[in-house]
Amino acid sequence: MSRCTKAYIYKENLRNNILQIKSLLSENTKICLAVKADGYGHNAVLAAKIAQECGVSSLAIATVDEGIELRKNGIELQLLLLSLCTPGEMDELFEYNITPLVFSKEYINCINEAAKKIKLQNKFEVHLAIDTGMGRIGCYPQEAGKQARLIEDSGNLHLGGMATHFALSDSLSSNAQKFTKQQYEAFCLAVENVKKEGINPGICSCANSAAILNNPEMHFDMIRAGIIAYGYYPDEITRKYLKSKGKNILLKPVMSFETEVVAIRRFPKGKTVSYGCTWKTSKETDIAVLPVGYADGLLRRFSPGLLVTINGKKYPVVGRICMDQCMVDIGKDNPDVKLWDKVLIFGPEESGALTTADDLAKLGNTISYEVLTSLSKRVVRYIKE
């Protein structure tokens, strides 16, 4: 028997979102879908299989282990490793055909030496990361030609592409948009510096979810879709804003997070609930107990304020969320809530949820990305066909 606290992945919603993204692109622009962090908490293998069906060309991952899992589940698309790996992981890059981002002389030489030991028949493809303002990994634009030359002259490596990442593209402030434009221009300079070395820069990409929606001039050869594939708009680039720009892009949340009522208890006036005794009943009421807590991803900071959906109505979570349980005030003698009723924490409209991961994110002063990726492994994901 399966635990009642679970998540459902709405397969057709993911397909819808990928097709919505495609509608914004020119015919020759490729899609790289981010499936890192277990597909933003949605099950990376499932997301990857749907991506293959929808004509996506590449998948973005963050760790070598994520790539191995995909390969062992029959995923044949290019896997682009966005984070760095250690020398102990490099043999698996070749074994599982994972394309790394590189940028420094030391890192390039390290991968080249690892490739030499493997004695590959063909040169191994790498992509050059450019730091245009994110301040994470990447060489500076003025160094791009030199680093590309190092790759091409290494003996075992081949430059297959270039990439950078935007830091502020999801903000509509004039300063943020100015900064994004500066990043884009710096990336263009890096690409030109590689070409001046007589080297083909390969597949170039810089547009993240926000730039995909808001900056079509920045799509280059390939876009890298993240949160929008899973049904959420990036910060200020909302559906309302896009409609004002003549873009009717309908993204549908892909995941629902649900549980069941496992107990209903009558509490008198003045009874405290949960750790710290932070909430007290103002009158006699009934409290529903739910078997879900912060160890599942229902973060402690969501209460007070969190509303869950039971049979089409919203009810407040009261007191502190515990590791494995939380409590909901359903009111005295409520005929609409019964033992074992389904409780929806967030999800798409078709799941019956009245809240989304965005709503929870606002409560926790965070972003939908964190809410989605916080769901733990003990919350089993099921496919909703």
Side-chain angles (χ1 to χ4, degrees):
M1 298 294 290
S2 63
R3 183 176 177 229
C4 66
T5 299
K6 62 189 73 172
Y8 282 100
I9 309 303
Y10 284 72
K11 185 177 179 179
E12 287 307 312
N13 287 5
L14 180 54
R15 193 186 306 277
N16 166 83
N17 298 339
I18 293 173
L19 294 177
Q20 290 284 295
I21 294 165
K22 270 191 168 183
S23 73
L24 296 169
L25 309 178
S26 67
E27 187 178 348
N28 296 323
T29 303
K30 299 177 183 294
I31 296 176
C32 176
L33 178 68
V35 296
K36 59 182 181 159
D38 198 27
Y40 286 38
H42 290 71
N43 186 311
V45 173
L46 171 63
K49 287 180 177 178
I50 295 172
Q52 281 190 157
E53 295 170 8
C54 291
V56 167
S57 63
S58 303
L59 301 171
I61 57 175
T63 69
V64 174
D65 283 346
E66 288 178 345
I68 293 171
E69 180 188 24
L70 293 172
R71 291 292 187 232
K72 287 184 175 180
N73 280 276
I75 302 303
E76 298 177 352
L77 298 179
Q78 180 190 46
L79 301 180
L80 187 61
L81 181 64
L82 300 183
S83 300
L84 304 182
C85 64
T86 61
E89 298 172 290
M90 287 180 182
D91 285 354
E92 292 172 322
L93 293 178
F94 315 121
E95 182 179 354
Y96 292 97
N97 192 23
I98 297 170
T99 305
L101 289 183
V102 303
F103 70 96
S104 69
K105 178 180 179 181
E106 293 79 9
Y107 197 63
I108 292 168
N109 286 341
C110 195
I111 292 181
N112 182 57
E113 286 303 310
K116 185 188 296 184
K117 292 176 184 177
I118 298 294
K119 297 181 180 179
L120 300 172
Q121 289 186 335
N122 300 306
K123 287 190 174 185
F124 186 68
E125 181 178 332
V126 299
H127 284 212
L128 181 61
I130 310 296
D131 181 7
T132 59
M134 184 66 182
R136 199 160 57 182
I137 65 170
C139 67
Y140 295 122
Q142 60 268 28
E143 301 171 330
K146 178 182 176 182
Q147 300 306 91
R149 174 54 58 197
L150 180 62
I151 292 167
E152 288 298 306
D153 291 348
S154 65
N156 299 282
L157 307 179
H158 164 65
L159 181 65
M162 297 177 62
T164 196
H165 194 60
F166 293 143
L168 275 173
S169 57
D170 55 1
S171 172
L172 292 174
S173 74
S174 58
N175 284 341
Q177 289 300 303
K178 181 180 178 181
F179 190 78
T180 300
K181 185 179 179 182
Q182 290 172 346
Q183 282 197 265
Y184 171 70
E185 291 173 348
F187 185 61
C188 291
L189 175 63
V191 172
E192 287 306 310
N193 285 340
V194 170
K195 289 180 178 178
K196 286 178 182 177
E197 283 287 324
I199 298 170
N200 184 342
I203 301 296
C204 298
S205 68
C206 62
N208 57 3
S209 286
I212 292 165
L213 298 175
N214 199 39
N215 303 98
E217 73 280 8
M218 300 180 185
H219 286 175
F220 256 111
D221 306 310
M222 183 171 73
I223 55 88
R224 301 193 308 273
I227 197 66
I228 58 175
Y230 302 104
Y232 290 92
Y233 298 87
D235 200 8
E236 295 176 20
I237 314 299
T238 62
R239 189 183 182 203
K240 182 179 179 181
Y241 165 77
L242 292 168
K243 286 184 78 172
S244 75
K245 297 294 182 180
K247 298 177 182 178
N248 188 21
I249 302 300
L250 176 60
L251 302 177
K252 297 181 179 181
V254 174
M255 178 195 291
S256 70
F257 183 23
E258 64 181 60
T259 188
E260 293 178 9
V261 175
V262 294
I264 297 176
R265 302 185 60 208
R266 176 63 51 86
F267 278 17
K269 179 181 177 180
K271 172 75 171 176
T272 59
V273 172
S274 197
Y275 291 112
C277 302
T278 59
W279 187 84
K280 183 185 295 185
T281 57
S282 60
K283 58 185 177 181
E284 190 175 47
T285 191
D286 292 337
I287 298 293
V289 180
L290 312 182
V292 59
Y294 59 77
D296 299 297
L298 192 66
L299 305 181
R300 194 169 182 262
R301 62 181 180 269
F302 290 157
S303 182
L306 175 61
L307 299 171
V308 298
T309 305
I310 308 174
N311 295 322
K313 294 182 180 179
K314 291 182 179 180
Y315 297 94
V317 170
V318 294
R320 288 179 177 162
I321 295 169
C322 308
M323 184 181 291
D324 313 297
Q325 300 176 84
C326 66
M327 283 64 76
V328 177
D329 185 4
I330 59 173
K332 185 179 176 181
D333 296 324
N334 184 347
D336 296 322
V337 181
K338 302 178 295 299
L339 201 60
W340 320 127
D341 276 351
K342 182 168 75 171
V343 181
L344 285 149
I345 298 160
F346 66 76
E349 288 182 7
E350 56 265 51
S351 72
L354 299 176
T355 53
T356 68
D358 264 338
D359 296 316
L360 270 67
K362 289 170 186 173
L363 281 176
N365 192 29
T366 184
I367 54 178
S368 57
Y369 308 65
E370 184 182 22
V371 174
L372 295 168
T373 57
S374 291
L375 265 67
S376 68
K377 284 288 186 183
R378 78 179 190 183
V379 179
V380 179
R381 277 67 158 175
Y382 296 91
I383 301 170
K384 201 80 171 180
E385 296 290 349

